[in-house]
Amino acid sequence: MTFEENLKTKKGLRFKNGKFKIVMFSDLHGKITFDRRTVLGVEELTEELQPDLVLLGGDNVCGGSHLQSEQLFRNSFDDIANIFESRKIPWAHVFGNHDREVGLSESDQQDIYEQYEYCVSKRGPENIHGVSNYMLPIKASEGDKIKFNVWGMDSHRYNSTVNGHKTILPNHFCTGDDADHCRPDQIMWYYNTSVELEKYCGEKVPSIMYFHQPIPEFNLIVRNPEETGMEGEHRERICGTELNYGLFGFVTARNDVKGIYCGHDHVNTFSGTYAGIHLGYIGALGFNVYMHPDLRGCRVFEIDENDPANYKTYLHKVLDNEKLAAIPGMHDYACEYSMY
């Protein structure tokens, strides 16, 4: 993939009157049919917030849902996609760990996603790990100057061994989870493309980065709540990688990404700032997965064209959770994870 291909988006993303709003959902966990409450929740928030771009943070469909064909996948996912398509809102996605368990490869899923008219996700370079590695440049209200950027990254699934050796030790570095994350070649793709973007624009472009599973540095927020200005809830252990590939170090070296955001841990919604980088959870919206009703919602980003590096981000909950919860649907699961 050339740098020019990295710059392209199927639908142009542009500030409107100096403003740009992003809404990020995660962990929708669709099955053969999406839980109706999840669909209504996404629709309610989309209608209320009127975003310029929607991001889906992984586990968009659920493991074991047997979506082995394009038709089965579309029969399921149309309920979500049509919310954005009917409103002509550009939207993008990254893959989570459970997206890889539906019976259809990420590559095949990517082909389906890209058939939707307003889906601006892009298949990443073929010579690096993962499928959902891309950038989404957002241009100024007038002209072609890039004022902001979104990096989507593929955090893969699980990784309990590397080169035949265990990565999870009895005295673990983080919380002892076997989640995987961005591999070195993906990190170098980000770094090198970021350098090219700076050369192209004549300056660094303020950005956010999103993927599904957390990096180790998220642990530092809950261990240092005062120093990091922690906000939000920490209600389960941080299920991130034990094998630190070094993404955070490369992000600080480039100093263009101002915030990193993930899903995966359904009842974590906290955020805080470490080494100048805002680290934040999205939380879950799906109704057929473990979740605490008072946390169900999305993360919002409000970006000012005149000061894009200092964007505003906050969690926004569904308007009437009790009303949605009263609609017949699949079983609501209790949180099953421990904190440590």
Side-chain angles (χ1 to χ4, degrees), residues 10 67-75 77-78 81 91 93 95 104-117 119 123:
K10 187 164 61 177
L67 305 175
Q68 297 103 325
S69 70
E70 176 179 341
Q71 192 58 55
L72 285 171
F73 190 94
R74 289 198 64 126
N75 287 348
F77 199 74
D78 275 354
W91 58 279
H93 78 287
F95 289 111
L104 199 65
S105 72
E106 307 96 276
S107 180
D108 288 339
Q109 290 179 51
Q110 184 67 36
D111 288 341
I112 298 168
Y113 278 119
E114 292 186 21
Q115 291 174 26
Y116 290 102
E117 182 179 358
C119 177
R123 181 185 298 273

PDB file of all heavy atoms in Angstrom, residues 10 67-75 77-78 81 91 93 95 104-117 119 123:
ATOM      1  N   LYS A  10     -13.069   6.447   1.003  1.00  0.00           N
ATOM      2  CA  LYS A  10     -14.178   6.294   0.050  1.00  0.00           C
ATOM      3  C   LYS A  10     -15.146   7.474   0.115  1.00  0.00           C
ATOM      4  O   LYS A  10     -15.676   7.903  -0.909  1.00  0.00           O
ATOM      5  CB  LYS A  10     -14.895   4.975   0.327  1.00  0.00           C
ATOM      6  CG  LYS A  10     -15.961   4.624  -0.685  1.00  0.00           C
ATOM      7  CD  LYS A  10     -16.349   3.158  -0.596  1.00  0.00           C
ATOM      8  CE  LYS A  10     -16.918   2.786   0.727  1.00  0.00           C
ATOM      9  NZ  LYS A  10     -17.360   1.379   0.784  1.00  0.00           N
ATOM     10  N   LEU A  67     -21.639 -17.275  11.242  1.00  0.00           N
ATOM     11  CA  LEU A  67     -21.913 -16.430  10.076  1.00  0.00           C
ATOM     12  C   LEU A  67     -20.952 -16.824   8.951  1.00  0.00           C
ATOM     13  O   LEU A  67     -20.111 -16.059   8.523  1.00  0.00           O
ATOM     14  CB  LEU A  67     -21.750 -14.950  10.453  1.00  0.00           C
ATOM     15  CG  LEU A  67     -22.570 -14.465  11.647  1.00  0.00           C
ATOM     16  CD1 LEU A  67     -22.231 -13.025  11.994  1.00  0.00           C
ATOM     17  CD2 LEU A  67     -24.068 -14.598  11.356  1.00  0.00           C
ATOM     18  N   GLN A  68     -21.103 -18.070   8.475  1.00  0.00           N
ATOM     19  CA  GLN A  68     -20.090 -18.636   7.582  1.00  0.00           C
ATOM     20  C   GLN A  68     -20.176 -18.171   6.148  1.00  0.00           C
ATOM     21  O   GLN A  68     -19.304 -18.506   5.347  1.00  0.00           O
ATOM     22  CB  GLN A  68     -20.178 -20.174   7.601  1.00  0.00           C
ATOM     23  CG  GLN A  68     -19.895 -20.782   8.953  1.00  0.00           C
ATOM     24  CD  GLN A  68     -21.160 -21.222   9.659  1.00  0.00           C
ATOM     25  OE1 GLN A  68     -22.195 -20.576   9.521  1.00  0.00           O
ATOM     26  NE2 GLN A  68     -21.088 -22.300  10.414  1.00  0.00           N
ATOM     27  N   SER A  69     -21.192 -17.420   5.776  1.00  0.00           N
ATOM     28  CA  SER A  69     -21.332 -16.974   4.391  1.00  0.00           C
ATOM     29  C   SER A  69     -21.568 -15.476   4.358  1.00  0.00           C
ATOM     30  O   SER A  69     -21.963 -14.861   5.361  1.00  0.00           O
ATOM     31  CB  SER A  69     -22.502 -17.686   3.710  1.00  0.00           C
ATOM     32  OG  SER A  69     -23.741 -17.239   4.236  1.00  0.00           O
ATOM     33  N   GLU A  70     -21.338 -14.893   3.190  1.00  0.00           N
ATOM     34  CA  GLU A  70     -21.579 -13.461   3.031  1.00  0.00           C
ATOM     35  C   GLU A  70     -23.037 -13.121   3.320  1.00  0.00           C
ATOM     36  O   GLU A  70     -23.327 -12.112   3.984  1.00  0.00           O
ATOM     37  CB  GLU A  70     -21.217 -13.016   1.615  1.00  0.00           C
ATOM     38  CG  GLU A  70     -21.532 -11.554   1.351  1.00  0.00           C
ATOM     39  CD  GLU A  70     -21.150 -11.108  -0.060  1.00  0.00           C
ATOM     40  OE1 GLU A  70     -20.339 -11.804  -0.697  1.00  0.00           O
ATOM     41  OE2 GLU A  70     -21.667 -10.066  -0.499  1.00  0.00           O
ATOM     42  N   GLN A  71     -23.957 -13.949   2.863  1.00  0.00           N
ATOM     43  CA  GLN A  71     -25.370 -13.658   3.056  1.00  0.00           C
ATOM     44  C   GLN A  71     -25.745 -13.703   4.530  1.00  0.00           C
ATOM     45  O   GLN A  71     -26.479 -12.831   5.029  1.00  0.00           O
ATOM     46  CB  GLN A  71     -26.236 -14.644   2.270  1.00  0.00           C
ATOM     47  CG  GLN A  71     -27.698 -14.221   2.203  1.00  0.00           C
ATOM     48  CD  GLN A  71     -27.880 -12.845   1.572  1.00  0.00           C
ATOM     49  OE1 GLN A  71     -27.433 -12.600   0.453  1.00  0.00           O
ATOM     50  NE2 GLN A  71     -28.507 -11.930   2.295  1.00  0.00           N
ATOM     51  N   LEU A  72     -25.238 -14.694   5.263  1.00  0.00           N
ATOM     52  CA  LEU A  72     -25.535 -14.773   6.693  1.00  0.00           C
ATOM     53  C   LEU A  72     -24.960 -13.570   7.430  1.00  0.00           C
ATOM     54  O   LEU A  72     -25.603 -13.012   8.324  1.00  0.00           O
ATOM     55  CB  LEU A  72     -24.967 -16.065   7.275  1.00  0.00           C
ATOM     56  CG  LEU A  72     -25.728 -17.355   6.956  1.00  0.00           C
ATOM     57  CD1 LEU A  72     -24.928 -18.572   7.418  1.00  0.00           C
ATOM     58  CD2 LEU A  72     -27.105 -17.346   7.610  1.00  0.00           C
ATOM     59  N   PHE A  73     -23.741 -13.179   7.046  1.00  0.00           N
ATOM     60  CA  PHE A  73     -23.115 -12.029   7.702  1.00  0.00           C
ATOM     61  C   PHE A  73     -23.925 -10.764   7.450  1.00  0.00           C
ATOM     62  O   PHE A  73     -24.203  -9.997   8.379  1.00  0.00           O
ATOM     63  CB  PHE A  73     -21.677 -11.864   7.198  1.00  0.00           C
ATOM     64  CG  PHE A  73     -20.882 -10.851   7.984  1.00  0.00           C
ATOM     65  CD1 PHE A  73     -20.089 -11.249   9.042  1.00  0.00           C
ATOM     66  CD2 PHE A  73     -20.934  -9.500   7.668  1.00  0.00           C
ATOM     67  CE1 PHE A  73     -19.354 -10.324   9.779  1.00  0.00           C
ATOM     68  CE2 PHE A  73     -20.215  -8.560   8.390  1.00  0.00           C
ATOM     69  CZ  PHE A  73     -19.418  -8.985   9.449  1.00  0.00           C
ATOM     70  N   ARG A  74     -24.307 -10.550   6.206  1.00  0.00           N
ATOM     71  CA  ARG A  74     -25.063  -9.340   5.875  1.00  0.00           C
ATOM     72  C   ARG A  74     -26.452  -9.369   6.513  1.00  0.00           C
ATOM     73  O   ARG A  74     -26.958  -8.333   6.953  1.00  0.00           O
ATOM     74  CB  ARG A  74     -25.178  -9.172   4.364  1.00  0.00           C
ATOM     75  CG  ARG A  74     -23.868  -8.787   3.694  1.00  0.00           C
ATOM     76  CD  ARG A  74     -24.133  -8.213   2.316  1.00  0.00           C
ATOM     77  NE  ARG A  74     -24.883  -6.970   2.408  1.00  0.00           N
ATOM     78  CZ  ARG A  74     -24.501  -5.824   1.852  1.00  0.00           C
ATOM     79  NH1 ARG A  74     -23.360  -5.756   1.194  1.00  0.00           N
ATOM     80  NH2 ARG A  74     -25.246  -4.737   1.950  1.00  0.00           N
ATOM     81  N   ASN A  75     -27.080 -10.551   6.557  1.00  0.00           N
ATOM     82  CA  ASN A  75     -28.387 -10.655   7.195  1.00  0.00           C
ATOM     83  C   ASN A  75     -28.318 -10.188   8.639  1.00  0.00           C
ATOM     84  O   ASN A  75     -29.266  -9.593   9.170  1.00  0.00           O
ATOM     85  CB  ASN A  75     -28.897 -12.097   7.149  1.00  0.00           C
ATOM     86  CG  ASN A  75     -29.352 -12.512   5.769  1.00  0.00           C
ATOM     87  OD1 ASN A  75     -29.503 -11.677   4.874  1.00  0.00           O
ATOM     88  ND2 ASN A  75     -29.544 -13.803   5.578  1.00  0.00           N
ATOM     89  N   PHE A  77     -25.552  -8.201  10.037  1.00  0.00           N
ATOM     90  CA  PHE A  77     -24.940  -6.892  10.262  1.00  0.00           C
ATOM     91  C   PHE A  77     -25.719  -5.744   9.619  1.00  0.00           C
ATOM     92  O   PHE A  77     -25.546  -4.579  10.011  1.00  0.00           O
ATOM     93  CB  PHE A  77     -23.495  -6.878   9.761  1.00  0.00           C
ATOM     94  CG  PHE A  77     -22.691  -5.764  10.358  1.00  0.00           C
ATOM     95  CD1 PHE A  77     -22.269  -5.826  11.675  1.00  0.00           C
ATOM     96  CD2 PHE A  77     -22.385  -4.634   9.616  1.00  0.00           C
ATOM     97  CE1 PHE A  77     -21.551  -4.789  12.240  1.00  0.00           C
ATOM     98  CE2 PHE A  77     -21.668  -3.589  10.173  1.00  0.00           C
ATOM     99  CZ  PHE A  77     -21.248  -3.667  11.494  1.00  0.00           C
ATOM    100  N   ASP A  78     -26.581  -6.034   8.670  1.00  0.00           N
ATOM    101  CA  ASP A  78     -27.383  -4.975   8.037  1.00  0.00           C
ATOM    102  C   ASP A  78     -28.151  -4.141   9.061  1.00  0.00           C
ATOM    103  O   ASP A  78     -28.351  -2.938   8.878  1.00  0.00           O
ATOM    104  CB  ASP A  78     -28.379  -5.571   7.037  1.00  0.00           C
ATOM    105  CG  ASP A  78     -27.763  -5.788   5.665  1.00  0.00           C
ATOM    106  OD1 ASP A  78     -26.605  -5.379   5.449  1.00  0.00           O
ATOM    107  OD2 ASP A  78     -28.440  -6.383   4.803  1.00  0.00           O
ATOM    108  N   ALA A  81     -25.468  -1.652  10.217  1.00  0.00           N
ATOM    109  CA  ALA A  81     -24.941  -0.828   9.122  1.00  0.00           C
ATOM    110  C   ALA A  81     -25.997   0.128   8.577  1.00  0.00           C
ATOM    111  O   ALA A  81     -25.696   1.287   8.262  1.00  0.00           O
ATOM    112  CB  ALA A  81     -24.407  -1.722   8.004  1.00  0.00           C
ATOM    113  N   TRP A  91     -18.679   5.484   8.371  1.00  0.00           N
ATOM    114  CA  TRP A  91     -18.387   4.665   9.539  1.00  0.00           C
ATOM    115  C   TRP A  91     -17.233   3.715   9.217  1.00  0.00           C
ATOM    116  O   TRP A  91     -16.949   3.425   8.054  1.00  0.00           O
ATOM    117  CB  TRP A  91     -19.630   3.894  10.000  1.00  0.00           C
ATOM    118  CG  TRP A  91     -20.244   2.992   8.971  1.00  0.00           C
ATOM    119  CD1 TRP A  91     -21.093   3.349   7.962  1.00  0.00           C
ATOM    120  CD2 TRP A  91     -20.050   1.573   8.844  1.00  0.00           C
ATOM    121  NE1 TRP A  91     -21.447   2.239   7.216  1.00  0.00           N
ATOM    122  CE2 TRP A  91     -20.832   1.146   7.741  1.00  0.00           C
ATOM    123  CE3 TRP A  91     -19.320   0.623   9.566  1.00  0.00           C
ATOM    124  CZ2 TRP A  91     -20.882  -0.199   7.339  1.00  0.00           C
ATOM    125  CZ3 TRP A  91     -19.373  -0.718   9.180  1.00  0.00           C
ATOM    126  CH2 TRP A  91     -20.153  -1.101   8.070  1.00  0.00           C
ATOM    127  N   HIS A  93     -14.501   0.429  11.131  1.00  0.00           N
ATOM    128  CA  HIS A  93     -14.425  -0.611  12.154  1.00  0.00           C
ATOM    129  C   HIS A  93     -12.995  -1.115  12.306  1.00  0.00           C
ATOM    130  O   HIS A  93     -12.153  -0.924  11.418  1.00  0.00           O
ATOM    131  CB  HIS A  93     -15.308  -1.801  11.753  1.00  0.00           C
ATOM    132  CG  HIS A  93     -14.664  -2.665  10.705  1.00  0.00           C
ATOM    133  ND1 HIS A  93     -14.538  -2.262   9.385  1.00  0.00           N
ATOM    134  CD2 HIS A  93     -14.059  -3.880  10.788  1.00  0.00           C
ATOM    135  CE1 HIS A  93     -13.899  -3.207   8.705  1.00  0.00           C
ATOM    136  NE2 HIS A  93     -13.590  -4.194   9.521  1.00  0.00           N
ATOM    137  N   PHE A  95     -11.234  -4.979  13.969  1.00  0.00           N
ATOM    138  CA  PHE A  95     -11.629  -6.314  14.401  1.00  0.00           C
ATOM    139  C   PHE A  95     -11.241  -6.545  15.856  1.00  0.00           C
ATOM    140  O   PHE A  95     -10.202  -6.093  16.325  1.00  0.00           O
ATOM    141  CB  PHE A  95     -10.961  -7.380  13.527  1.00  0.00           C
ATOM    142  CG  PHE A  95     -11.505  -7.432  12.123  1.00  0.00           C
ATOM    143  CD1 PHE A  95     -10.730  -7.031  11.050  1.00  0.00           C
ATOM    144  CD2 PHE A  95     -12.795  -7.877  11.883  1.00  0.00           C
ATOM    145  CE1 PHE A  95     -11.221  -7.072   9.756  1.00  0.00           C
ATOM    146  CE2 PHE A  95     -13.302  -7.918  10.588  1.00  0.00           C
ATOM    147  CZ  PHE A  95     -12.511  -7.522   9.519  1.00  0.00           C
ATOM    148  N   LEU A 104     -16.172 -17.030   9.489  1.00  0.00           N
ATOM    149  CA  LEU A 104     -15.813 -16.298   8.282  1.00  0.00           C
ATOM    150  C   LEU A 104     -14.547 -15.506   8.590  1.00  0.00           C
ATOM    151  O   LEU A 104     -14.475 -14.826   9.616  1.00  0.00           O
ATOM    152  CB  LEU A 104     -16.953 -15.356   7.901  1.00  0.00           C
ATOM    153  CG  LEU A 104     -17.027 -14.820   6.468  1.00  0.00           C
ATOM    154  CD1 LEU A 104     -17.270 -15.956   5.485  1.00  0.00           C
ATOM    155  CD2 LEU A 104     -18.145 -13.788   6.360  1.00  0.00           C
ATOM    156  N   SER A 105     -13.549 -15.610   7.737  1.00  0.00           N
ATOM    157  CA  SER A 105     -12.266 -14.970   8.017  1.00  0.00           C
ATOM    158  C   SER A 105     -12.386 -13.459   8.061  1.00  0.00           C
ATOM    159  O   SER A 105     -13.321 -12.875   7.502  1.00  0.00           O
ATOM    160  CB  SER A 105     -11.236 -15.360   6.952  1.00  0.00           C
ATOM    161  OG  SER A 105     -11.533 -14.721   5.715  1.00  0.00           O
ATOM    162  N   GLU A 106     -11.420 -12.812   8.730  1.00  0.00           N
ATOM    163  CA  GLU A 106     -11.408 -11.355   8.761  1.00  0.00           C
ATOM    164  C   GLU A 106     -11.286 -10.783   7.351  1.00  0.00           C
ATOM    165  O   GLU A 106     -11.865  -9.742   7.045  1.00  0.00           O
ATOM    166  CB  GLU A 106     -10.248 -10.821   9.605  1.00  0.00           C
ATOM    167  CG  GLU A 106     -10.157 -11.367  11.008  1.00  0.00           C
ATOM    168  CD  GLU A 106      -9.192 -12.521  11.077  1.00  0.00           C
ATOM    169  OE1 GLU A 106      -9.610 -13.655  10.780  1.00  0.00           O
ATOM    170  OE2 GLU A 106      -8.018 -12.305  11.422  1.00  0.00           O
ATOM    171  N   SER A 107     -10.533 -11.457   6.493  1.00  0.00           N
ATOM    172  CA  SER A 107     -10.377 -10.985   5.121  1.00  0.00           C
ATOM    173  C   SER A 107     -11.715 -10.992   4.390  1.00  0.00           C
ATOM    174  O   SER A 107     -12.074 -10.025   3.703  1.00  0.00           O
ATOM    175  CB  SER A 107      -9.366 -11.859   4.371  1.00  0.00           C
ATOM    176  OG  SER A 107      -9.196 -11.411   3.041  1.00  0.00           O
ATOM    177  N   ASP A 108     -12.473 -12.071   4.559  1.00  0.00           N
ATOM    178  CA  ASP A 108     -13.791 -12.150   3.924  1.00  0.00           C
ATOM    179  C   ASP A 108     -14.748 -11.131   4.536  1.00  0.00           C
ATOM    180  O   ASP A 108     -15.551 -10.510   3.824  1.00  0.00           O
ATOM    181  CB  ASP A 108     -14.363 -13.555   4.063  1.00  0.00           C
ATOM    182  CG  ASP A 108     -13.652 -14.570   3.178  1.00  0.00           C
ATOM    183  OD1 ASP A 108     -13.009 -14.146   2.197  1.00  0.00           O
ATOM    184  OD2 ASP A 108     -13.731 -15.776   3.475  1.00  0.00           O
ATOM    185  N   GLN A 109     -14.672 -10.957   5.852  1.00  0.00           N
ATOM    186  CA  GLN A 109     -15.512  -9.949   6.490  1.00  0.00           C
ATOM    187  C   GLN A 109     -15.172  -8.557   5.970  1.00  0.00           C
ATOM    188  O   GLN A 109     -16.063  -7.735   5.737  1.00  0.00           O
ATOM    189  CB  GLN A 109     -15.335  -9.996   8.009  1.00  0.00           C
ATOM    190  CG  GLN A 109     -15.914 -11.226   8.675  1.00  0.00           C
ATOM    191  CD  GLN A 109     -15.679 -11.234  10.175  1.00  0.00           C
ATOM    192  OE1 GLN A 109     -15.978 -10.271  10.861  1.00  0.00           O
ATOM    193  NE2 GLN A 109     -15.140 -12.328  10.684  1.00  0.00           N
ATOM    194  N   GLN A 110     -13.876  -8.285   5.792  1.00  0.00           N
ATOM    195  CA  GLN A 110     -13.459  -6.975   5.302  1.00  0.00           C
ATOM    196  C   GLN A 110     -14.062  -6.694   3.928  1.00  0.00           C
ATOM    197  O   GLN A 110     -14.516  -5.575   3.652  1.00  0.00           O
ATOM    198  CB  GLN A 110     -11.936  -6.894   5.234  1.00  0.00           C
ATOM    199  CG  GLN A 110     -11.385  -5.540   4.827  1.00  0.00           C
ATOM    200  CD  GLN A 110     -11.646  -4.465   5.862  1.00  0.00           C
ATOM    201  OE1 GLN A 110     -11.619  -4.734   7.059  1.00  0.00           O
ATOM    202  NE2 GLN A 110     -11.891  -3.245   5.411  1.00  0.00           N
ATOM    203  N   ASP A 111     -14.074  -7.704   3.078  1.00  0.00           N
ATOM    204  CA  ASP A 111     -14.677  -7.538   1.748  1.00  0.00           C
ATOM    205  C   ASP A 111     -16.146  -7.128   1.868  1.00  0.00           C
ATOM    206  O   ASP A 111     -16.622  -6.284   1.101  1.00  0.00           O
ATOM    207  CB  ASP A 111     -14.579  -8.850   0.964  1.00  0.00           C
ATOM    208  CG  ASP A 111     -13.164  -9.163   0.502  1.00  0.00           C
ATOM    209  OD1 ASP A 111     -12.331  -8.235   0.458  1.00  0.00           O
ATOM    210  OD2 ASP A 111     -12.888 -10.341   0.207  1.00  0.00           O
ATOM    211  N   ILE A 112     -16.848  -7.727   2.832  1.00  0.00           N
ATOM    212  CA  ILE A 112     -18.267  -7.410   3.011  1.00  0.00           C
ATOM    213  C   ILE A 112     -18.429  -5.992   3.547  1.00  0.00           C
ATOM    214  O   ILE A 112     -19.243  -5.212   3.048  1.00  0.00           O
ATOM    215  CB  ILE A 112     -18.931  -8.430   3.953  1.00  0.00           C
ATOM    216  CG1 ILE A 112     -18.853  -9.833   3.352  1.00  0.00           C
ATOM    217  CG2 ILE A 112     -20.394  -8.042   4.218  1.00  0.00           C
ATOM    218  CD1 ILE A 112     -19.225 -10.941   4.310  1.00  0.00           C
ATOM    219  N   TYR A 113     -17.653  -5.644   4.561  1.00  0.00           N
ATOM    220  CA  TYR A 113     -17.726  -4.291   5.122  1.00  0.00           C
ATOM    221  C   TYR A 113     -17.543  -3.243   4.020  1.00  0.00           C
ATOM    222  O   TYR A 113     -18.276  -2.247   3.959  1.00  0.00           O
ATOM    223  CB  TYR A 113     -16.640  -4.093   6.183  1.00  0.00           C
ATOM    224  CG  TYR A 113     -16.969  -4.634   7.554  1.00  0.00           C
ATOM    225  CD1 TYR A 113     -16.196  -5.632   8.144  1.00  0.00           C
ATOM    226  CD2 TYR A 113     -18.045  -4.139   8.283  1.00  0.00           C
ATOM    227  CE1 TYR A 113     -16.478  -6.118   9.409  1.00  0.00           C
ATOM    228  CE2 TYR A 113     -18.342  -4.621   9.550  1.00  0.00           C
ATOM    229  CZ  TYR A 113     -17.551  -5.611  10.108  1.00  0.00           C
ATOM    230  OH  TYR A 113     -17.845  -6.081  11.357  1.00  0.00           O
ATOM    231  N   GLU A 114     -16.567  -3.447   3.167  1.00  0.00           N
ATOM    232  CA  GLU A 114     -16.245  -2.436   2.160  1.00  0.00           C
ATOM    233  C   GLU A 114     -17.310  -2.321   1.081  1.00  0.00           C
ATOM    234  O   GLU A 114     -17.313  -1.364   0.310  1.00  0.00           O
ATOM    235  CB  GLU A 114     -14.875  -2.726   1.549  1.00  0.00           C
ATOM    236  CG  GLU A 114     -13.726  -2.521   2.533  1.00  0.00           C
ATOM    237  CD  GLU A 114     -12.359  -2.653   1.905  1.00  0.00           C
ATOM    238  OE1 GLU A 114     -12.252  -2.516   0.662  1.00  0.00           O
ATOM    239  OE2 GLU A 114     -11.385  -2.887   2.643  1.00  0.00           O
ATOM    240  N   GLN A 115     -18.247  -3.270   1.023  1.00  0.00           N
ATOM    241  CA  GLN A 115     -19.343  -3.162   0.063  1.00  0.00           C
ATOM    242  C   GLN A 115     -20.392  -2.136   0.498  1.00  0.00           C
ATOM    243  O   GLN A 115     -21.159  -1.637  -0.330  1.00  0.00           O
ATOM    244  CB  GLN A 115     -20.006  -4.527  -0.118  1.00  0.00           C
ATOM    245  CG  GLN A 115     -19.138  -5.545  -0.842  1.00  0.00           C
ATOM    246  CD  GLN A 115     -19.771  -6.919  -0.859  1.00  0.00           C
ATOM    247  OE1 GLN A 115     -20.994  -7.058  -0.773  1.00  0.00           O
ATOM    248  NE2 GLN A 115     -18.950  -7.941  -0.952  1.00  0.00           N
ATOM    249  N   TYR A 116     -20.448  -1.831   1.789  1.00  0.00           N
ATOM    250  CA  TYR A 116     -21.392  -0.815   2.252  1.00  0.00           C
ATOM    251  C   TYR A 116     -20.924   0.556   1.763  1.00  0.00           C
ATOM    252  O   TYR A 116     -19.738   0.889   1.872  1.00  0.00           O
ATOM    253  CB  TYR A 116     -21.485  -0.818   3.776  1.00  0.00           C
ATOM    254  CG  TYR A 116     -22.167  -2.036   4.360  1.00  0.00           C
ATOM    255  CD1 TYR A 116     -21.432  -3.066   4.931  1.00  0.00           C
ATOM    256  CD2 TYR A 116     -23.555  -2.145   4.346  1.00  0.00           C
ATOM    257  CE1 TYR A 116     -22.055  -4.182   5.481  1.00  0.00           C
ATOM    258  CE2 TYR A 116     -24.194  -3.260   4.895  1.00  0.00           C
ATOM    259  CZ  TYR A 116     -23.430  -4.265   5.454  1.00  0.00           C
ATOM    260  OH  TYR A 116     -24.054  -5.368   5.996  1.00  0.00           O
ATOM    261  N   GLU A 117     -21.845   1.351   1.262  1.00  0.00           N
ATOM    262  CA  GLU A 117     -21.483   2.611   0.610  1.00  0.00           C
ATOM    263  C   GLU A 117     -20.758   3.567   1.539  1.00  0.00           C
ATOM    264  O   GLU A 117     -19.803   4.244   1.125  1.00  0.00           O
ATOM    265  CB  GLU A 117     -22.743   3.298   0.058  1.00  0.00           C
ATOM    266  CG  GLU A 117     -22.440   4.595  -0.674  1.00  0.00           C
ATOM    267  CD  GLU A 117     -23.683   5.268  -1.235  1.00  0.00           C
ATOM    268  OE1 GLU A 117     -24.785   4.691  -1.090  1.00  0.00           O
ATOM    269  OE2 GLU A 117     -23.555   6.375  -1.805  1.00  0.00           O
ATOM    270  N   CYS A 119     -19.191   2.805   4.456  1.00  0.00           N
ATOM    271  CA  CYS A 119     -18.107   2.228   5.247  1.00  0.00           C
ATOM    272  C   CYS A 119     -16.774   2.726   4.697  1.00  0.00           C
ATOM    273  O   CYS A 119     -16.462   2.520   3.515  1.00  0.00           O
ATOM    274  CB  CYS A 119     -18.140   0.708   5.212  1.00  0.00           C
ATOM    275  SG  CYS A 119     -16.770  -0.062   6.104  1.00  0.00           S
ATOM    276  N   ARG A 123      -8.820  -2.088   3.951  1.00  0.00           N
ATOM    277  CA  ARG A 123      -7.917  -3.211   4.170  1.00  0.00           C
ATOM    278  C   ARG A 123      -6.492  -2.674   4.267  1.00  0.00           C
ATOM    279  O   ARG A 123      -6.041  -1.908   3.411  1.00  0.00           O
ATOM    280  CB  ARG A 123      -8.027  -4.197   3.018  1.00  0.00           C
ATOM    281  CG  ARG A 123      -7.138  -5.431   3.152  1.00  0.00           C
ATOM    282  CD  ARG A 123      -7.225  -6.273   1.904  1.00  0.00           C
ATOM    283  NE  ARG A 123      -8.578  -6.757   1.695  1.00  0.00           N
ATOM    284  CZ  ARG A 123      -9.060  -7.878   2.227  1.00  0.00           C
ATOM    285  NH1 ARG A 123      -8.286  -8.617   3.008  1.00  0.00           N
ATOM    286  NH2 ARG A 123     -10.296  -8.257   1.983  1.00  0.00           N
TER     287      ARG A 123
END
